[in-house]
Amino acid sequence: MPDEDAIIRRMTSSSARLPGGYLGPGDDVALVPTSRGRVVVKVDMLVGKTDVPRGMTMRQAARKAVAMCVSDFASKGVRPDSFLVSLGIPRGSTARQVEEVALGLYDAASRWKLKLLGGDTNEAGDLIVDCVMLGSADRIVRRSGARPGEAVVTSGFFGYPPSGLKIMLGSAVASQTFKRRALRSVVLPTPNLEVGVALKPFLTSAMDSSDGLSKCLHTLAECSEVGILVERIPIGPGVSGFAKANGLDADELVLAGGEEYEIVGTVKVSSIQAAREAARNAGGNLIVIGETNELAGSVRIRRGKRIVPLARRGWTHLA
Amino acid sequence: MPDEDAIIRRMTSSSARLPGGYLGPGDDVALVPTSRGRVVVKVDMLVGKTDVPRGMTMRQAARKAVAMCVSDFASKGVRPDSFLVSLGIPRGSTARQVEEVALGLYDAASRWKLKLLGGDTNEAGDLIVDCVMLGSADRIVRRSGARPGEAVVTSGFFGYPPSGLKIMLGSAVASQTFKRRALRSVVLPTPNLEVGVALKPFLTSAMDSSDGLSKCLHTLAECSEVGILVERIPIGPGVSGFAKANGLDADELVLAGGEEYEIVGTVKVSSIQAAREAARNAGGNLIVIGETNELAGSVRIRRGKRIVPLARRGWTHLA
């Protein structure tokens, strides 16, 4: 069967050319023009079987569905305003479980100051929380805006969610401190919306990294028609030690994992300092991990003295 | 476990009071204010197991998911502009089946002149097509606007979808002509958007009837705090004969069925003529089925010389 990317390509290619002001498939969000400004809309589906690891509560799962959309908005530099939720509830769920889902939605509404505008409730074979998020903006940071000679940046360190997932699945062990941080990144993903909004003036391109860092870099390189050379992998503190202790490859954890909710993007070299300050003032980070070049679509990484292609790995639904 | 209505009540009661301009849970659509006008948004989930009877193709199912949202917009008098779709695709689906889903979305986009803005694709245990529809309007027809002494109207006849479903499930037989019409109403539901738009100036309240006529009348009576007396059941031509031939109760088919995509609403008695003309010019109907009164929340029906309470029956997910 076709994988997620093939399905999206199919939808994109056959989509009639959209009139001015609209943004259709192929970026983190869609845009609808109105008489003044544009409506920003994103829909992201959480499915129990694939997105909710054992050990994660329904309350956390519902909160995560909203966080997934917030992450997309953050990467576009747009503060979301409100959301709706379409629920699929497995028959036989208890009132307590449904209550948990509602609580998770309120957790997210409260954390990111969002209005919950209702939605739809259905019976389904698995837990489905499909979040529809709305905001407005005249301009968003696109995936396609990078030019050669810019700095490639991330809004934070990578590696905690894939480490946490391995710990939850019982296939890795960790110190109490690392375990707490890694598990928290899985069950309470918290994209930094303030950093996304603060970085908007500086980002020439950006996207959300929930499908993993390597896939994300490839997508940016393709959408912007630039090359990317990764000089430094943004390995989170403690991730190397965790990887070593469990016989894992730390680079692999960082590059090929998924469920990361950092922003990956590009800034002009001249604005790195100002961007870093803006990110810090918003309680976040700005980590320079490489630079763009003229080799359109190519993503490479420096390994010691050699420069080698970086494989496109990461999460693809239905792959 | 709590049924759909209980879950929605739970969500509604705990939702923080929304600022002016917003419309949250409790009507067919939600509203988000922008600097000029308001964004109208609706999300509706189609689930294979409950919403796609055997014999309905994936193409028809995908089209139906969009039709479900169009029906809500029609009942509010608002022409939708665009939509997004969150897909849950069962693992093991063929490329052909995925293509079918895409084709069904294009069928709907073309039928109602809508822009498809992308969405999200996931693996799920069942076919999920969650449609998010967007439009804009300064004003919509609310569920809550009816006053005593108005005419209760529908935009067409009822009874074909429940009859068609029984035919598809093999539990009823019908003439070729009736069968064609009834089956078509199930696999190619076609809410009359033009009639909804044309009726907007006349409707004091309205809602979509996809959960069935009786439930719909109860909801309107509650939201508008009026009573409703049904004088005439809008039985579609041929439905009585079909019911009789199969030992079914025609009134029950019409009142307690679901998946009907007509508008049910109220108009001032003085504007019935003008509303009927507007509906006809838009290629539809306006059928007066009763009137509103002061008995807030009560729904009754005239049976010969008696007036009896009309039971609240119809489709409730998870009931």
Side-chain angles (χ1 to χ4, degrees), chain B residues 22 31 33 53 64 67 97 105 117 126 128 132 134 136 147 150 154 173 197 212 216 231 235 241 280 314 316:
Chain B
Y22 287 89
L31 293 176
K64 177 184 170 181
Q97 287 175 310
L105 300 178
L117 301 180
D126 193 357
I128 307 277
V132 181
L134 297 157
S136 62
R147 297 292 166 261
E150 295 180 341
T154 67
V173 292
V197 172
C216 179
E231 298 275 4
I235 303 186
R280 283 191 181 150
T316 302

PDB file of all heavy atoms in Angstrom, chain B residues 22 31 33 53 64 67 97 105 117 126 128 132 134 136 147 150 154 173 197 212 216 231 235 241 280 314 316:
ATOM      1  N   TYR B  22     -17.471  34.350  19.616  1.00  0.00           N
ATOM      2  CA  TYR B  22     -17.268  32.907  19.486  1.00  0.00           C
ATOM      3  C   TYR B  22     -18.592  32.177  19.623  1.00  0.00           C
ATOM      4  O   TYR B  22     -19.489  32.633  20.325  1.00  0.00           O
ATOM      5  CB  TYR B  22     -16.334  32.380  20.581  1.00  0.00           C
ATOM      6  CG  TYR B  22     -14.898  32.769  20.387  1.00  0.00           C
ATOM      7  CD1 TYR B  22     -14.409  33.963  20.908  1.00  0.00           C
ATOM      8  CD2 TYR B  22     -14.026  31.947  19.685  1.00  0.00           C
ATOM      9  CE1 TYR B  22     -13.087  34.331  20.741  1.00  0.00           C
ATOM     10  CE2 TYR B  22     -12.696  32.307  19.503  1.00  0.00           C
ATOM     11  CZ  TYR B  22     -12.232  33.498  20.035  1.00  0.00           C
ATOM     12  OH  TYR B  22     -10.933  33.851  19.855  1.00  0.00           O
ATOM     13  N   LEU B  31     -18.069  29.121  15.685  1.00  0.00           N
ATOM     14  CA  LEU B  31     -17.699  30.408  15.085  1.00  0.00           C
ATOM     15  C   LEU B  31     -16.478  30.986  15.786  1.00  0.00           C
ATOM     16  O   LEU B  31     -16.345  30.903  17.007  1.00  0.00           O
ATOM     17  CB  LEU B  31     -18.846  31.416  15.226  1.00  0.00           C
ATOM     18  CG  LEU B  31     -20.134  31.120  14.443  1.00  0.00           C
ATOM     19  CD1 LEU B  31     -21.181  32.170  14.778  1.00  0.00           C
ATOM     20  CD2 LEU B  31     -19.867  31.072  12.950  1.00  0.00           C
ATOM     21  N   PRO B  33     -14.356  34.643  15.828  1.00  0.00           N
ATOM     22  CA  PRO B  33     -14.372  36.010  15.308  1.00  0.00           C
ATOM     23  C   PRO B  33     -13.028  36.378  14.684  1.00  0.00           C
ATOM     24  O   PRO B  33     -11.987  35.911  15.131  1.00  0.00           O
ATOM     25  CB  PRO B  33     -14.621  36.859  16.556  1.00  0.00           C
ATOM     26  CG  PRO B  33     -14.108  36.034  17.689  1.00  0.00           C
ATOM     27  CD  PRO B  33     -14.259  34.589  17.292  1.00  0.00           C
ATOM     28  N   PRO B  53     -22.193   1.455   5.512  1.00  0.00           N
ATOM     29  CA  PRO B  53     -22.830   0.135   5.407  1.00  0.00           C
ATOM     30  C   PRO B  53     -22.148  -0.714   4.334  1.00  0.00           C
ATOM     31  O   PRO B  53     -21.574  -0.186   3.385  1.00  0.00           O
ATOM     32  CB  PRO B  53     -24.266   0.461   5.007  1.00  0.00           C
ATOM     33  CG  PRO B  53     -24.233   1.835   4.436  1.00  0.00           C
ATOM     34  CD  PRO B  53     -23.077   2.540   5.082  1.00  0.00           C
ATOM     35  N   LYS B  64     -19.170  11.019   1.324  1.00  0.00           N
ATOM     36  CA  LYS B  64     -20.176  11.204   2.370  1.00  0.00           C
ATOM     37  C   LYS B  64     -19.636  12.026   3.545  1.00  0.00           C
ATOM     38  O   LYS B  64     -20.359  12.838   4.128  1.00  0.00           O
ATOM     39  CB  LYS B  64     -20.654   9.833   2.881  1.00  0.00           C
ATOM     40  CG  LYS B  64     -21.654   9.922   4.028  1.00  0.00           C
ATOM     41  CD  LYS B  64     -22.050   8.552   4.577  1.00  0.00           C
ATOM     42  CE  LYS B  64     -22.853   8.700   5.867  1.00  0.00           C
ATOM     43  NZ  LYS B  64     -23.239   7.414   6.447  1.00  0.00           N
ATOM     44  N   ALA B  67     -20.003  15.462   2.597  1.00  0.00           N
ATOM     45  CA  ALA B  67     -21.433  15.807   2.521  1.00  0.00           C
ATOM     46  C   ALA B  67     -22.002  16.072   3.915  1.00  0.00           C
ATOM     47  O   ALA B  67     -22.850  16.951   4.101  1.00  0.00           O
ATOM     48  CB  ALA B  67     -22.216  14.687   1.835  1.00  0.00           C
ATOM     49  N   GLN B  97      -7.528   1.371  -3.070  1.00  0.00           N
ATOM     50  CA  GLN B  97      -8.491   1.834  -2.065  1.00  0.00           C
ATOM     51  C   GLN B  97      -8.196   3.269  -1.620  1.00  0.00           C
ATOM     52  O   GLN B  97      -9.105   4.070  -1.412  1.00  0.00           O
ATOM     53  CB  GLN B  97      -8.485   0.885  -0.859  1.00  0.00           C
ATOM     54  CG  GLN B  97      -9.160  -0.447  -1.156  1.00  0.00           C
ATOM     55  CD  GLN B  97      -9.038  -1.423  -0.008  1.00  0.00           C
ATOM     56  OE1 GLN B  97      -7.938  -1.643   0.514  1.00  0.00           O
ATOM     57  NE2 GLN B  97     -10.147  -2.013   0.392  1.00  0.00           N
ATOM     58  N   LEU B 105     -13.148  12.409  -2.250  1.00  0.00           N
ATOM     59  CA  LEU B 105     -12.964  13.778  -1.769  1.00  0.00           C
ATOM     60  C   LEU B 105     -13.082  14.769  -2.925  1.00  0.00           C
ATOM     61  O   LEU B 105     -13.682  15.835  -2.797  1.00  0.00           O
ATOM     62  CB  LEU B 105     -11.608  13.927  -1.074  1.00  0.00           C
ATOM     63  CG  LEU B 105     -11.393  13.031   0.154  1.00  0.00           C
ATOM     64  CD1 LEU B 105      -9.993  13.234   0.717  1.00  0.00           C
ATOM     65  CD2 LEU B 105     -12.440  13.334   1.235  1.00  0.00           C
ATOM     66  N   LEU B 117      -7.804  21.580   1.140  1.00  0.00           N
ATOM     67  CA  LEU B 117      -6.558  22.204   1.617  1.00  0.00           C
ATOM     68  C   LEU B 117      -5.604  21.223   2.277  1.00  0.00           C
ATOM     69  O   LEU B 117      -4.702  21.625   2.996  1.00  0.00           O
ATOM     70  CB  LEU B 117      -6.898  23.331   2.599  1.00  0.00           C
ATOM     71  CG  LEU B 117      -7.776  24.458   2.057  1.00  0.00           C
ATOM     72  CD1 LEU B 117      -8.015  25.492   3.143  1.00  0.00           C
ATOM     73  CD2 LEU B 117      -7.129  25.112   0.841  1.00  0.00           C
ATOM     74  N   ASP B 126      -9.542   1.239  11.594  1.00  0.00           N
ATOM     75  CA  ASP B 126     -10.761   1.289  10.790  1.00  0.00           C
ATOM     76  C   ASP B 126     -10.618   2.501   9.869  1.00  0.00           C
ATOM     77  O   ASP B 126      -9.792   3.371  10.102  1.00  0.00           O
ATOM     78  CB  ASP B 126     -11.960   1.473  11.735  1.00  0.00           C
ATOM     79  CG  ASP B 126     -13.307   1.218  11.045  1.00  0.00           C
ATOM     80  OD1 ASP B 126     -13.327   0.949   9.833  1.00  0.00           O
ATOM     81  OD2 ASP B 126     -14.331   1.292  11.746  1.00  0.00           O
ATOM     82  N   ILE B 128     -11.206   6.007   8.833  1.00  0.00           N
ATOM     83  CA  ILE B 128     -11.653   7.236   9.488  1.00  0.00           C
ATOM     84  C   ILE B 128     -11.486   8.358   8.476  1.00  0.00           C
ATOM     85  O   ILE B 128     -10.398   8.548   7.937  1.00  0.00           O
ATOM     86  CB  ILE B 128     -10.784   7.574  10.721  1.00  0.00           C
ATOM     87  CG1 ILE B 128     -10.670   6.404  11.703  1.00  0.00           C
ATOM     88  CG2 ILE B 128     -11.292   8.846  11.400  1.00  0.00           C
ATOM     89  CD1 ILE B 128     -11.796   6.264  12.668  1.00  0.00           C
ATOM     90  N   VAL B 132     -12.945  18.593   8.081  1.00  0.00           N
ATOM     91  CA  VAL B 132     -12.959  19.913   8.722  1.00  0.00           C
ATOM     92  C   VAL B 132     -13.367  20.918   7.659  1.00  0.00           C
ATOM     93  O   VAL B 132     -12.658  21.061   6.661  1.00  0.00           O
ATOM     94  CB  VAL B 132     -11.557  20.306   9.218  1.00  0.00           C
ATOM     95  CG1 VAL B 132     -11.609  21.655   9.906  1.00  0.00           C
ATOM     96  CG2 VAL B 132     -10.969  19.232  10.102  1.00  0.00           C
ATOM     97  N   LEU B 134     -14.578  24.827   6.399  1.00  0.00           N
ATOM     98  CA  LEU B 134     -14.419  26.235   6.754  1.00  0.00           C
ATOM     99  C   LEU B 134     -15.233  27.132   5.828  1.00  0.00           C
ATOM    100  O   LEU B 134     -15.363  26.861   4.630  1.00  0.00           O
ATOM    101  CB  LEU B 134     -12.942  26.628   6.635  1.00  0.00           C
ATOM    102  CG  LEU B 134     -11.999  25.895   7.579  1.00  0.00           C
ATOM    103  CD1 LEU B 134     -10.578  25.911   7.038  1.00  0.00           C
ATOM    104  CD2 LEU B 134     -12.044  26.518   8.958  1.00  0.00           C
ATOM    105  N   SER B 136     -17.076  31.511   5.898  1.00  0.00           N
ATOM    106  CA  SER B 136     -17.174  32.715   6.714  1.00  0.00           C
ATOM    107  C   SER B 136     -18.553  33.317   6.581  1.00  0.00           C
ATOM    108  O   SER B 136     -19.238  33.137   5.572  1.00  0.00           O
ATOM    109  CB  SER B 136     -16.079  33.719   6.352  1.00  0.00           C
ATOM    110  OG  SER B 136     -16.222  34.112   5.015  1.00  0.00           O
ATOM    111  N   ARG B 147     -39.404  31.183  17.865  1.00  0.00           N
ATOM    112  CA  ARG B 147     -40.317  31.773  18.848  1.00  0.00           C
ATOM    113  C   ARG B 147     -41.676  31.097  18.693  1.00  0.00           C
ATOM    114  O   ARG B 147     -41.968  30.529  17.645  1.00  0.00           O
ATOM    115  CB  ARG B 147     -40.448  33.285  18.607  1.00  0.00           C
ATOM    116  CG  ARG B 147     -39.136  34.069  18.790  1.00  0.00           C
ATOM    117  CD  ARG B 147     -38.688  34.089  20.252  1.00  0.00           C
ATOM    118  NE  ARG B 147     -37.296  34.536  20.405  1.00  0.00           N
ATOM    119  CZ  ARG B 147     -36.242  33.720  20.573  1.00  0.00           C
ATOM    120  NH1 ARG B 147     -36.415  32.404  20.611  1.00  0.00           N
ATOM    121  NH2 ARG B 147     -35.034  34.189  20.721  1.00  0.00           N
ATOM    122  N   GLU B 150     -44.590  30.134  15.225  1.00  0.00           N
ATOM    123  CA  GLU B 150     -43.951  30.061  13.910  1.00  0.00           C
ATOM    124  C   GLU B 150     -44.236  28.710  13.257  1.00  0.00           C
ATOM    125  O   GLU B 150     -44.642  27.753  13.920  1.00  0.00           O
ATOM    126  CB  GLU B 150     -42.440  30.276  14.048  1.00  0.00           C
ATOM    127  CG  GLU B 150     -42.114  31.701  14.552  1.00  0.00           C
ATOM    128  CD  GLU B 150     -40.639  31.975  14.709  1.00  0.00           C
ATOM    129  OE1 GLU B 150     -39.843  31.013  14.797  1.00  0.00           O
ATOM    130  OE2 GLU B 150     -40.275  33.158  14.753  1.00  0.00           O
ATOM    131  N   THR B 154     -39.474  21.699   6.828  1.00  0.00           N
ATOM    132  CA  THR B 154     -38.331  20.900   6.393  1.00  0.00           C
ATOM    133  C   THR B 154     -38.058  21.246   4.925  1.00  0.00           C
ATOM    134  O   THR B 154     -38.949  21.709   4.220  1.00  0.00           O
ATOM    135  CB  THR B 154     -38.594  19.378   6.513  1.00  0.00           C
ATOM    136  OG1 THR B 154     -39.615  19.022   5.580  1.00  0.00           O
ATOM    137  CG2 THR B 154     -39.027  18.999   7.915  1.00  0.00           C
ATOM    138  N   VAL B 173     -37.385  -5.442   0.880  1.00  0.00           N
ATOM    139  CA  VAL B 173     -37.381  -5.454  -0.586  1.00  0.00           C
ATOM    140  C   VAL B 173     -38.166  -4.242  -1.095  1.00  0.00           C
ATOM    141  O   VAL B 173     -38.932  -3.632  -0.359  1.00  0.00           O
ATOM    142  CB  VAL B 173     -38.014  -6.749  -1.150  1.00  0.00           C
ATOM    143  CG1 VAL B 173     -37.126  -7.950  -0.832  1.00  0.00           C
ATOM    144  CG2 VAL B 173     -39.415  -6.938  -0.586  1.00  0.00           C
ATOM    145  N   VAL B 197     -28.827  28.151   1.580  1.00  0.00           N
ATOM    146  CA  VAL B 197     -28.407  29.544   1.397  1.00  0.00           C
ATOM    147  C   VAL B 197     -29.628  30.422   1.066  1.00  0.00           C
ATOM    148  O   VAL B 197     -29.778  31.524   1.600  1.00  0.00           O
ATOM    149  CB  VAL B 197     -27.326  29.632   0.290  1.00  0.00           C
ATOM    150  CG1 VAL B 197     -27.028  31.077  -0.056  1.00  0.00           C
ATOM    151  CG2 VAL B 197     -26.050  28.901   0.742  1.00  0.00           C
ATOM    152  N   GLY B 212     -31.688  12.273  12.671  1.00  0.00           N
ATOM    153  CA  GLY B 212     -33.080  11.832  12.605  1.00  0.00           C
ATOM    154  C   GLY B 212     -34.051  12.956  12.955  1.00  0.00           C
ATOM    155  O   GLY B 212     -33.728  13.855  13.732  1.00  0.00           O
ATOM    156  N   CYS B 216     -34.093  15.720  16.143  1.00  0.00           N
ATOM    157  CA  CYS B 216     -33.864  17.067  15.655  1.00  0.00           C
ATOM    158  C   CYS B 216     -34.928  18.028  16.179  1.00  0.00           C
ATOM    159  O   CYS B 216     -34.622  19.130  16.652  1.00  0.00           O
ATOM    160  CB  CYS B 216     -33.892  16.934  14.135  1.00  0.00           C
ATOM    161  SG  CYS B 216     -33.666  18.401  13.217  1.00  0.00           S
ATOM    162  N   GLU B 231     -47.953  18.503  12.841  1.00  0.00           N
ATOM    163  CA  GLU B 231     -49.290  18.284  12.280  1.00  0.00           C
ATOM    164  C   GLU B 231     -49.242  17.301  11.127  1.00  0.00           C
ATOM    165  O   GLU B 231     -50.230  16.664  10.795  1.00  0.00           O
ATOM    166  CB  GLU B 231     -49.859  19.618  11.764  1.00  0.00           C
ATOM    167  CG  GLU B 231     -50.038  20.676  12.834  1.00  0.00           C
ATOM    168  CD  GLU B 231     -51.377  20.525  13.566  1.00  0.00           C
ATOM    169  OE1 GLU B 231     -52.119  19.558  13.290  1.00  0.00           O
ATOM    170  OE2 GLU B 231     -51.666  21.389  14.426  1.00  0.00           O
ATOM    171  N   ILE B 235     -43.504  12.419   4.998  1.00  0.00           N
ATOM    172  CA  ILE B 235     -43.191  11.096   4.439  1.00  0.00           C
ATOM    173  C   ILE B 235     -42.911  11.209   2.940  1.00  0.00           C
ATOM    174  O   ILE B 235     -43.747  11.714   2.194  1.00  0.00           O
ATOM    175  CB  ILE B 235     -44.364  10.107   4.640  1.00  0.00           C
ATOM    176  CG1 ILE B 235     -44.699   9.988   6.131  1.00  0.00           C
ATOM    177  CG2 ILE B 235     -44.029   8.730   4.062  1.00  0.00           C
ATOM    178  CD1 ILE B 235     -45.733   8.931   6.444  1.00  0.00           C
ATOM    179  N   GLY B 241     -45.754   2.931   0.951  1.00  0.00           N
ATOM    180  CA  GLY B 241     -45.914   1.653   0.258  1.00  0.00           C
ATOM    181  C   GLY B 241     -44.786   0.697   0.598  1.00  0.00           C
ATOM    182  O   GLY B 241     -45.022  -0.490   0.851  1.00  0.00           O
ATOM    183  N   ARG B 280     -37.920  26.901  -3.860  1.00  0.00           N
ATOM    184  CA  ARG B 280     -38.206  26.341  -5.192  1.00  0.00           C
ATOM    185  C   ARG B 280     -37.241  26.888  -6.230  1.00  0.00           C
ATOM    186  O   ARG B 280     -36.750  26.161  -7.085  1.00  0.00           O
ATOM    187  CB  ARG B 280     -39.649  26.636  -5.595  1.00  0.00           C
ATOM    188  CG  ARG B 280     -40.585  25.690  -4.847  1.00  0.00           C
ATOM    189  CD  ARG B 280     -42.000  25.758  -5.405  1.00  0.00           C
ATOM    190  NE  ARG B 280     -42.847  24.854  -4.619  1.00  0.00           N
ATOM    191  CZ  ARG B 280     -44.138  25.032  -4.402  1.00  0.00           C
ATOM    192  NH1 ARG B 280     -44.752  26.093  -4.916  1.00  0.00           N
ATOM    193  NH2 ARG B 280     -44.815  24.163  -3.680  1.00  0.00           N
ATOM    194  N   GLY B 314     -33.799   8.383  17.511  1.00  0.00           N
ATOM    195  CA  GLY B 314     -32.894   8.720  16.422  1.00  0.00           C
ATOM    196  C   GLY B 314     -31.510   8.243  16.786  1.00  0.00           C
ATOM    197  O   GLY B 314     -31.317   7.523  17.760  1.00  0.00           O
ATOM    198  N   THR B 316     -27.936   8.108  18.188  1.00  0.00           N
ATOM    199  CA  THR B 316     -27.017   8.654  19.176  1.00  0.00           C
ATOM    200  C   THR B 316     -25.795   7.763  19.195  1.00  0.00           C
ATOM    201  O   THR B 316     -25.898   6.575  19.501  1.00  0.00           O
ATOM    202  CB  THR B 316     -27.654   8.687  20.579  1.00  0.00           C
ATOM    203  OG1 THR B 316     -28.846   9.458  20.507  1.00  0.00           O
ATOM    204  CG2 THR B 316     -26.710   9.336  21.579  1.00  0.00           C
TER     205      THR B 316
END
